[in-house]
């Protein structure tokens, strides 16, 4: 059974801190990885995609990929209360266009 | 901006009714997906489609069917709604591996 695993949290950080969200995946064949943000009662919103080992930065967000260790992380710098949401990690499945999603990590940013 | 729309935000249906959920995307995406999301179970794929008139079963297709007659529209059909189909239904579309979600339909079956 191929899986994407995330700590459910909540991860609580003070405003202005760096939030670090992690996920691991089991399918060594996965090449494409995504982070979605989901506010309570809303649908997931794609915020980052990463395809190569290393870091990819977009504003306050940095995605990190380590294929050898099969983990993906998302760093949120200068965290804001508006970043409080559930963050879903997703990986491409079986070299298809399907994604397998983790169960999400709930992030709370304290003012 | 990618726009994926779903026909209803909230829907209440009775057990045994046939239910249609519509999804429309305006980005000419080849791929479209239907998921349901339940607390503690995460996102689960019901059906997907890579092209017009093409459909593939996902992880939980039982009790559902789909239709894709036009590239921009992907419909989910609950043939005979049951209470265990009460859930949030999410449509997504995409090209290659990225998927973009619609706002979701919260369906309650009573």
């Amino acid at each position: 059974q191929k899986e994407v695993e995330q700590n459910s949290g909540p991860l609580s950080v003070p405003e202005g801190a760096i939030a670090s969200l992690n996920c691991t995946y089991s399918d060594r064949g996965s090449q494409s990885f995504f982070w979605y943000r989901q506010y309570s009662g809303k649908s997931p919103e794609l915020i980052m995609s990463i395809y190569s080992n290393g870091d990819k930065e977009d504003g306050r967000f940095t995605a990190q990929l380590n294929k050898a260790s099969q983990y993906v992380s998302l760093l949120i710098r200068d965290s804001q209360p508006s970043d409080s949401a559930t963050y879903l990690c997703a990986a491409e499945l079986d070299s298809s266009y399907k994604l397998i999603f983790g169960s999400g990590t709930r992030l709370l940013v304290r003012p | 901006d990618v726009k994926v729309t779903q026909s209803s935000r909230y829907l209440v249906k009775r057990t045994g009714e046939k239910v249609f959920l519509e999804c429309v995307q305006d980005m000419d995406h080849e791929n479209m997906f239907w998921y349901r999301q339940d607390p503690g179970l995460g996102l689960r794929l019901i059906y997907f489609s890579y092209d017009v008139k093409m459909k593939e079963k996902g992880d939980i297709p039982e009790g559902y069917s789909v239709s894709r007659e036009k590239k921009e529209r992907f419909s989910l059909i609950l043939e005979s709604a049951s209470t265990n189909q009460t859930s949030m239904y999410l449509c997504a579309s995409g090209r290659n591996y990225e998927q973009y979600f619609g706002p979701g339909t919260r369906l309650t079956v009573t």
Side-chain angles (χ1 to χ4, degrees):
Chain A
Q1 179 82 358
K2 293 174 182 175
E3 293 182 323
V4 172
E5 296 193 352
Q6 297 180 256
N7 188 317
S8 61
L11 172 66
S12 181
V13 301
E15 184 174 356
I18 296 175
S20 178
L21 304 160
N22 302 307
C23 99
T24 59
Y25 60 94
S26 62
D27 183 5
R28 279 201 171 273
S30 294
Q31 300 293 321
S32 307
F33 303 89
F34 306 92
W35 283 99
Y36 288 82
R37 178 177 62 200
Q38 187 173 24
Y39 293 113
S40 180
K42 302 293 186 182
S43 61
E45 174 192 8
L46 178 64
I47 56 172
M48 289 289 284
S49 56
I50 187 165
Y51 306 98
S52 305
N53 274 330
D55 295 0
K56 179 182 177 183
E57 189 174 316
D58 184 0
R60 295 187 297 114
F61 298 101
T62 298
Q64 299 175 318
L65 173 59
N66 184 324
K67 290 184 181 178
S69 301
Q70 294 178 248
Y71 84 79
V72 192
S73 62
L74 178 70
L75 302 178
I76 306 175
R77 288 182 300 282
D78 188 24
S79 295
Q80 301 297 309
S82 57
D83 294 325
S84 298
T86 296
Y87 289 79
L88 303 173
C89 176
E92 155 214 335
L93 179 64
D94 292 333
S95 301
S96 72
Y97 294 128
K98 294 187 289 183
L99 297 179
I100 181 167
F101 287 85
S103 55
T105 297
R106 193 157 68 96
L107 173 67
L108 296 176
V109 181
R110 309 186 304 272
Chain B
D1 264 2
V2 177
K3 194 71 184 288
V4 181
T5 58
Q6 295 184 230
S7 49
S8 307
R9 291 300 309 275
Y10 300 94
L11 208 53
V12 179
K13 295 292 182 181
R14 293 194 180 275
T15 301
E17 280 193 81
K18 192 168 185 176
V19 182
F20 294 86
L21 303 181
E22 302 282 333
C23 175
V24 178
Q25 50 97 2
D26 67 355
M27 289 303 293
D28 199 36
H29 285 159
E30 291 83 13
N31 308 328
M32 297 189 75
F33 306 83
W34 275 106
Y35 296 87
R36 62 178 284 178
Q37 187 175 35
D38 301 285
L41 296 176
L43 276 164
R44 293 182 290 169
L45 181 63
I46 305 171
Y47 267 98
F48 59 100
S49 169
Y50 294 150
D51 202 351
V52 176
K53 296 195 185 293
M54 175 272 179
K55 59 186 178 185
E56 293 282 345
K57 293 180 180 179
D59 300 318
I60 51 163
E62 297 78 19
Y64 303 94
S65 63
V66 290
S67 171
R68 193 167 181 198
E69 296 295 319
K70 294 185 177 181
K71 189 175 187 178
E72 68 270 18
R73 188 179 297 268
F74 192 35
S75 303
L76 180 69
I77 303 150
L78 286 66
E79 297 291 343
S80 177
S82 63
T83 54
N84 63 13
Q85 291 178 311
T86 291
S87 186
M88 169 72 95
Y89 289 88
L90 292 160
C91 173
S93 78
R95 184 175 291 119
N96 298 323
Y97 297 103
E98 294 187 348
Q99 293 184 21
Y100 300 90
F101 286 85
T105 296
R106 186 164 294 282
L107 172 67
T108 302
V109 183
T110 62

